[in-house]
Amino acid sequence: MPFLGSAGMLISLVIIAINLSKGRRLAGRIITFGLCTIMALHLLLTLNIILMPYPAQVDRTKPAVTATWPLAGPTVVGWGGDSTHTNLPHVIWPSERWAYDLLMEPYSTGSTHFEDYGIWNQEVLAPVSGTVIAAYDAEPDIEPGSEDILSMEGNHVYLKMDETGTYLLLNHLRQNSVTVQVGDQVKPGDVLGRVGNSGSSSEPHLHIHHQRQNPLSTPHPILAEGLPLYFTGIDAEPMPEKGDIVLPLQ
């Protein structure tokens, strides 16, 4: 539908231009253009042509989850929050509407060496109690800044949460670092693996988000419904935003 809408937009613009040149009425053509724009909206969002969060309201989306912080040290929120200003790569997608990308100093160094990034090889801690439904770490980490992407999510651990029955996804883990297996029961603070640079990742970081649907049975990852994710036990707002420095409280 988005592609048909885009084609309709272009055709409508051509017809509107012709009608303008001939002095014809435009009301019907403008309505058609508006309908085609609505059809094309999601494509325009994902291409960043229209900068608008995927339609959802954090205070009306349930269930929300409050989790513990997945890293032990001071962390920089690379992307997070509820707006295009603080979370542009994520809020345009329904599945990643409230996702986070987490970093540690130093970051954005431009180096091609993993060890030049503070979050590289840091332990990833379970933020919630739940059951491991996916645990994968066979994918090689890619050189920072490269485009040698083998998958979107890379090495990962997915949890089905005891509290809500919804799902928490942690992506871009280091190859051969995952310490849990499918079926394991975990509680907050258990080690799941280590941060890497696998999948669609420009530099080592941890991606985490909450969604309603089981990621193993969803036809395509972006078709899931993203849900709010808050954090407790940190010296920051429960939903930290881009640029926030988060320190877990002891």
Side-chain angles (χ1 to χ4, degrees), residues 12-67:
S12 296
L13 284 174
V14 171
I15 295 175
I16 287 172
I18 293 173
N19 286 357
L20 278 173
S21 67
K22 296 183 177 181
R24 296 175 181 172
R25 297 178 62 182
L26 301 177
R29 301 303 179 187
I30 292 174
I31 292 173
T32 300
F33 178 79
L35 293 174
C36 289
T37 301
I38 293 172
M39 292 173 61
L41 181 60
H42 190 253
L43 181 62
L44 299 175
L45 289 174
T46 57
L47 293 176
N48 293 338
I49 295 173
I50 295 178
L51 296 181
M52 186 182 80
Y54 191 84
Q57 293 185 8
V58 65
D59 58 339
R60 297 185 180 180
T61 307
K62 306 295 181 184
V65 163
T66 300

Side-chain angles (χ1 to χ4, degrees), residues 127-128 157-159 161 166-170 208-210 229:
V128 295
V157 172
Y158 298 160
L159 303 176
M161 291 179 280
T166 52
Y167 300 88
L168 197 66
L169 284 65
L170 301 102
I208 179 171
H209 78 262
H210 173 208
L229 177 60

Side-chain angles (χ1 to χ4, degrees), residues 130-135 157-160 180-186 216:
T131 304
V132 178
I133 64 163
V157 172
Y158 298 160
L159 303 176
K160 182 176 183 180
V180 293
Q181 298 178 347
V182 172
D184 285 352
Q185 298 291 315
V186 299
L216 304 182

Side-chain angles (χ1 to χ4, degrees), residues 80-102:
D82 193 43
S83 69
T84 55
H85 176 67
T86 64
N87 206 3
L88 180 59
H90 299 133
V91 296
I92 59 176
W93 298 95
S95 58
E96 299 183 1
R97 183 64 172 75
W98 290 281
Y100 299 85
D101 283 344
L102 305 180

